[in-house]
């Protein structure tokens, strides 16, 4: 069952290989770049540039370099520490994720300075993928990177959703929330976007740097109040100025900076799950794709999946056995302990606790990028023997779950899933298998 689950996950990740996603969406034909049947005549532009940022930046850039060939003037790609590799015509930089660091701010300055050198008759390809919010940061009005780190960490530990987190980010960073489109204007721009957000809202993916922003400073204020976040003096002053209209809002729909900007979604979690379903069926499982939009507290969502597994085990409902339930999304963890882990590992541990009396039941929960939380693991396996494996090692699964210490537990029991960086990022994959006895 573990081999089957891993094969299903691998097929899902392969389907959203960023290079393949770009190749499916974009081609060069008779001096034109064609994207989803829209033609861009390259002879109309003085220079063709490319700026990529996110966990999939390098892989997407390789495809664009290959497609454009000599038409590409130059470019830059910014990705997570450890995710970089050389490109032919583009400079590669690495920076911090999920918490931004000084290299994230350096990356922001590099992007800003690069765009300062572009002109009205240039075309810029923006390759945007998950993680971009943290990887490229250019704080507004005296806000330091330390201020950004403290605020980001507080929101993540408080269990803020990615929508909430990015709403805040968009109002403290001049690149996010349409800011990049503002910097690029009056150049023409094309954004190819790989979604890591539930529902694929373009203004949330990587904090929507090239699209109109729908959020406001009032939303920012409500979010920090909701999570009882104490702001640094610089951010508090920025928020006050935004609420009072002293500084302008992020660019909204209809703003001139978007007149020459186009956007294309090239890959998402739903695409990965479709291929996972095909693989599961090939392996002989009766398969249901439950949802690509799962959200909620990790340990509570796990109970829902455990209930489905129990229903399958007891009644073969909703599917005859052997059954495979697939889902994806982005769950959250409210940090109450001081342990080490990630949302997928926490979900798996909670699932293991809930199914400790069941045989022939397995969950795989993993991040498609190969990193769960701040660990070097993609996620973990859990089954009816998870608790017992822990007990055999004098580990209390419930205590480790309460301490948010799932990584330690699974490291000791040998149940971690380690893929290394996959080069893509379309949220998480959740696979529940229920076999015949």
């Amino acid at each position: 069952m573990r081999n089957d689950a891993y094969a299903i996950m691998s097929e899902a990740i392969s389907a959203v290989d960023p290079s393949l996603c770009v190749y499916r969406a974009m081609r060069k034909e008779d001096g034109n770049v064609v994207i989803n049947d829209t033609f861009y005549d390259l002879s109309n532009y003085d220079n063709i540039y490319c700026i990529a940022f996110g966990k999939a930046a390098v892989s997407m850039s390789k495809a664009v370099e290959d497609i454009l060939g000599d038409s590409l003037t130059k470019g830059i790609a910014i990705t997570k520490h450890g995710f970089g590799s050389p490109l032919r015509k583009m400079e590669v930089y690495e920076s911090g994720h999920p918490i931004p660091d000084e290299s994230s701010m350096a990356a922001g300055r590099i992007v800003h300075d690069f765009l300062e050198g572009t002109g009205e008759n240039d075309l810029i390809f923006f390759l945007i993928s998950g993680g971009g919010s943290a990887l490229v940061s250019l704080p507004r009005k005296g806000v330091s990177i330390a201020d950004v780190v403290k605020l980001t960490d507080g929101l993540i530990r408080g269990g803020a959703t990615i929508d909430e987190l990015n709403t805040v980010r968009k109002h403290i960073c001049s690149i996010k929330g349409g800011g990049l489109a503002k910097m690029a204007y009056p150049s023409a721009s094309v954004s190819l976007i790989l979604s890591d957000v539930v529902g694929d809202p373009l203004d949330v993916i990587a904090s929507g740097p090239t699209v109109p922003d729908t959020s406001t400073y009032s939303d920012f204020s409500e979010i920090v109040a909701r999570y009882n976040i104490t702001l640094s003096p610089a951010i508090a002053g920025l928020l006050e100025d935004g609420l009072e209209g002293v500084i302008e809002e992020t660019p909204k729909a209809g703003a001139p900076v978007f007149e020459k900007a186009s956007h294309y979604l090239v890959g998402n979690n739903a695409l990965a799950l479709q291929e996972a379903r095909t693989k599961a069926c090939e392996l002989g499982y009766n398969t249901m794709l439950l949802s690509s939009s799962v959200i909620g507290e990790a340990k509570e969502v796990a109970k829902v999946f455990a209930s489905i597994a129990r229903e399958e085990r007891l009644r073969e409902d909703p599917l005859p056995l052997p059954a495979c339930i697939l889902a994806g999304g982005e769950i959250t963890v409210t940090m109450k302990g001081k342990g080490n882990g990630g949302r997928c590992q926490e979900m798996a541990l909670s699932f293991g606790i809930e199914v400790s009396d069941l045989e022939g039941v397995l969950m795989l929960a993993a991040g498609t990028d190969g990193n769960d939380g701040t660990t070097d693991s993609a996620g973990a396996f859990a089954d009816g023997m998870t608790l017992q494996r822990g007990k055999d090692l004098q580990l209390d699964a419930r205590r480790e779950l309460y301490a948010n210490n799932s990584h330690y537990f699974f490291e000791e029991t040998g149940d971690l899933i380690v893929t290394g960086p996959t080069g893509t990022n379309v949220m998480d994959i959740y696979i529940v298998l229920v076999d015949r006895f």
Side-chain angles (χ1 to χ4, degrees):
M1 291 177 72
R2 288 194 179 205
N3 289 340
D4 287 349
Y6 194 88
I8 294 167
M9 178 197 73
S10 298
E11 194 71 18
I13 292 173
S14 295
V16 287
D17 175 274
S19 290
L20 292 179
C21 289
V22 172
Y23 282 123
R24 281 193 293 259
M26 175 179 172
R27 70 183 188 276
K28 190 177 178 184
E29 180 180 299
D30 298 327
N32 300 290
V33 165
V34 187
I35 305 175
N36 290 2
D37 298 324
T38 299
F39 284 72
Y40 296 86
D41 186 345
L42 299 183
S43 67
N44 291 334
Y45 305 102
D46 293 339
N47 300 285
I48 313 296
Y49 299 116
C50 184
I51 296 177
F53 53 97
K55 295 179 186 176
V58 171
S59 185
M60 294 179 81
S61 297
K62 286 179 179 177
V64 168
E65 282 189 333
D66 183 47
I67 293 167
L68 291 178
D70 293 338
S71 297
L72 179 63
T73 306
K74 63 178 180 178
I76 54 177
I78 301 160
T79 193
K80 182 175 178 176
H81 290 302
F83 279 47
S85 61
L87 294 167
R88 295 198 305 272
K89 300 188 72 172
M90 297 172 62
E91 295 293 327
V92 178
Y93 302 90
E94 296 183 349
S95 58
H97 181 278
I99 302 298
D101 57 16
E102 288 291 343
S103 60
S104 303
M105 195 153 71
R109 288 192 293 265
I110 289 167
V111 170
H112 175 271
D113 293 346
F114 188 100
L115 291 173
E116 285 281 289
T118 61
E120 184 175 1
N121 296 321
D122 295 334
L123 174 62
I124 305 167
F125 286 92
F126 291 115
L127 312 180
I128 301 169
S129 57
S133 294
L135 294 168
V136 182
S137 184
L138 197 61
R140 302 177 192 267
K141 199 183 176 184
V143 175
S144 70
I145 195 66
D147 295 332
V148 175
V149 168
K150 182 179 179 181
L151 177 55
T152 303
D153 186 58
L155 288 167
I156 290 174
R157 287 184 172 275
T161 66
I162 189 64
D163 297 51
E164 292 171 326
L165 184 59
N166 285 358
T167 291
V168 171
R169 285 166 161 167
K170 285 186 282 190
H171 287 85
I172 60 175
C173 175
S174 59
I175 286 177
K176 301 173 179 61
L180 193 61
K182 189 175 180 179
M183 291 179 189
Y185 186 78
S187 298
S189 67
V190 174
S191 297
L192 303 183
I193 303 170
L194 188 67
S195 174
D196 70 330
V197 179
V198 169
D200 308 325
L202 299 186
D203 64 321
V204 177
I205 302 165
S207 297
T210 62
V211 300
D213 183 26
T214 59
S215 67
T216 65
Y217 279 103
S218 293
D219 296 326
F220 175 7
S221 180
E222 290 172 5
I223 290 165
V224 295
R226 185 177 305 140
Y227 293 98
N228 196 29
I229 302 293
T230 300
L231 300 176
S232 69
I235 293 181
L238 173 68
L239 176 56
E240 183 178 354
D241 286 348
L243 292 171
E244 294 178 355
V246 175
I247 54 177
E248 65 180 358
E249 262 289 357
T250 48
K252 307 303 180 190
V257 298
F258 301 114
E259 289 176 353
K260 299 168 69 176
S262 301
H263 316 90
Y264 302 92
L265 185 70
V266 298
N268 58 11
N269 187 265
L271 175 61
L273 290 175
Q274 289 164 13
E275 293 304 311
R277 176 168 54 188
T278 299
K279 183 64 175 181
C281 291
E282 289 177 358
L283 292 171
Y285 290 92
N286 299 297
T287 305
M288 174 181 288
L289 202 168
L290 190 63
S291 173
S292 64
S293 303
V294 176
I295 59 173
E297 186 72 23
K299 60 178 177 288
E300 299 303 323
V301 174
K303 295 177 182 178
V304 176
F305 283 100
S307 297
I308 295 172
R310 185 174 300 279
E311 198 72 14
E312 282 290 342
R313 176 82 284 154
L314 297 178
R315 298 180 180 86
E316 295 195 35
D317 186 36
L319 297 171
L321 298 179
C324 173
I325 305 296
L326 295 170
E330 187 156 282
I331 51 179
T332 53
V333 172
T334 302
M335 292 291 293
K336 295 182 178 179
K338 297 182 179 180
N340 188 27
R343 60 191 183 231
C344 291
Q345 292 164 78
E346 180 141 330
M347 182 180 188
L349 186 54
S350 179
F351 180 89
I353 293 170
E354 296 298 321
V355 301
S356 60
D357 60 331
L358 298 181
E359 296 181 30
V361 171
L362 173 79
M363 167 175 262
L364 177 156
T368 54
D369 60 353
N371 281 128
D372 186 32
T374 57
T375 74
D376 59 359
S377 303
F381 292 106
D383 54 38
M385 294 300 293
T386 295
L387 261 69
Q388 187 58 52
R389 285 193 293 275
K391 288 179 181 178
D392 291 344
L393 297 167
Q394 287 76 53
L395 294 174
D396 185 327
R398 290 180 176 84
R399 183 178 63 201
E400 301 303 337
L401 180 65
Y402 182 78
N404 302 120
N405 205 24
S406 55
H407 182 75
Y408 170 72
F409 181 93
F410 286 125
E411 187 174 40
E412 293 298 305
T413 61
D415 294 324
L416 289 173
I417 299 167
V418 181
T419 63
T422 65
T424 193
N425 183 24
V426 293
M427 302 189 291
D428 303 332
I429 297 289
Y430 316 125
I431 302 169
V432 175
L433 301 182
V434 184
D435 205 357
R436 294 191 183 98
F437 284 116

